[in-house]
Amino acid sequence: MGKHRAHIVWDWNGTLFHDTDAVIAATNAAFAEVGLAPITLATYRELYCVPIPRFYERLMGRLPTQSEWDHMDGVFHRHYRDQHIRCGLADGAESLLERWQEAGRTQSIMSMFVHEELLPLVRGFGIERRFVRVDGRTGPSGGSKAEHMARHLAGLDGVRAEHTVVIGDAADDAVAAQHVGARAVLYTGGSHSRASLAAAGVPVVDSLAEAVAEAERLVAVAAGR
């Protein structure tokens, strides 16, 4: 298989975009609204899951009511918008994107960050030209990435699922990859602990450089079948 047929679908938040501090600050602001104590990054990574109301259930001992969820979700996004402007790309991300593109391969972004806010953020870092497609979430927040990933892959011209690797920081990225018949590599720099990522049954790495190398290996294995 020619290298140009390999494709990476990148996650944004917690993967290409290193926004962990902003996420924790916004999460704790949302928790304060319903009387929950603030949590540390280690606790967040240990307990985080999707759909996000289940994450709140792990901390509250019950699922939030719809009105609680709506309120907490609004508070989270309001605080996140204030915080994320101080965040940057993950270490080495820009050069990895450039090298992958210059090798004749393709890549895209599929994020659960709201689409209308994702596009200007990606453009602001000057990396939009590295991607054949950039998709954020449309519709309500809190759900799984699987159906969004299916629509994303369907919109990619000439990209085959078996030659595609999803790189993300959450177990849900592996679920979304499996849903469309792609492979996944999970990165420990974002929302999950290594132990919780390992439970997804896909390769887990500690840097984006390792993630890209593993993606190359997975696609080569698929091509050799």
Side-chain angles (χ1 to χ4, degrees):
M1 184 199 72
K3 288 183 178 179
H4 66 283
R5 295 175 66 188
H7 183 83
I8 290 175
V9 178
W10 292 95
D11 175 54
W12 180 249
N13 302 91
T15 304
L16 287 176
F17 187 49
H18 186 62
D19 62 347
T20 307
D21 289 344
V23 169
I24 296 300
T27 297
N28 282 331
F31 286 173
E33 292 289 318
V34 293
L36 290 175
I39 62 171
T40 64
L41 174 59
T43 299
Y44 181 92
R45 285 176 166 166
E46 191 62 36
L47 297 180
Y48 180 78
C49 64
V50 295
I52 297 172
R54 295 288 182 185
F55 169 51
Y56 289 167
E57 181 183 26
R58 292 180 174 186
L59 292 153
M60 298 172 69
R62 61 174 177 81
L63 277 171
T65 66
Q66 187 61 50
S67 62
E68 285 175 329
W69 160 248
D70 290 341
H71 182 62
M72 292 168 74
D73 189 50
V75 171
F76 173 88
H77 284 97
R78 186 171 70 251
H79 281 269
Y80 179 81
R81 290 185 188 100
D82 291 340
Q83 295 283 335
H84 85 277
I85 57 174
R86 291 185 284 274
C87 301
L89 296 176
D91 287 344
E94 194 165 359
S95 61
L96 287 169
L97 296 173
E98 181 180 6
R99 289 200 298 270
W100 186 266
Q101 183 186 43
E102 290 183 347
R105 299 154 172 164
T106 57
Q107 55 199 333
S108 59
I109 293 175
M110 173 63 249
S111 172
M112 294 299 280
F113 192 45
V114 63
H115 184 73
E116 291 79 8
E117 296 181 32
L118 174 65
L119 288 177
L121 191 53
V122 173
R123 287 171 186 153
F125 285 111
I127 57 173
E128 185 182 19
R129 67 190 186 279
R130 305 296 181 197
F131 307 103
V132 295
R133 188 178 181 93
V134 176
D135 283 332
R137 171 180 55 80
T138 57
S141 63
S144 172
K145 184 181 275 189
E147 293 302 326
H148 295 273
M149 185 66 73
R151 288 191 293 272
H152 178 75
L153 208 62
L156 295 173
D157 230 4
V159 173
R160 297 171 60 181
E162 61 266 34
H163 298 154
T164 298
V165 178
V166 176
I167 297 178
D169 70 312
D172 192 48
D173 291 300
V175 173
Q178 182 181 36
H179 180 72
V180 297
R183 290 163 176 78
V185 178
L186 300 180
Y187 163 60
T188 61
S191 60
H192 278 36
S193 67
R194 172 174 276 278
S196 59
L197 291 177
V202 302
V204 177
V205 299
D206 297 317
S207 73
L208 294 186
E210 291 176 272
V212 171
E214 186 63 20
E216 290 178 311
R217 186 190 71 80
L218 289 172
V219 174
V221 168
R225 289 182 177 176

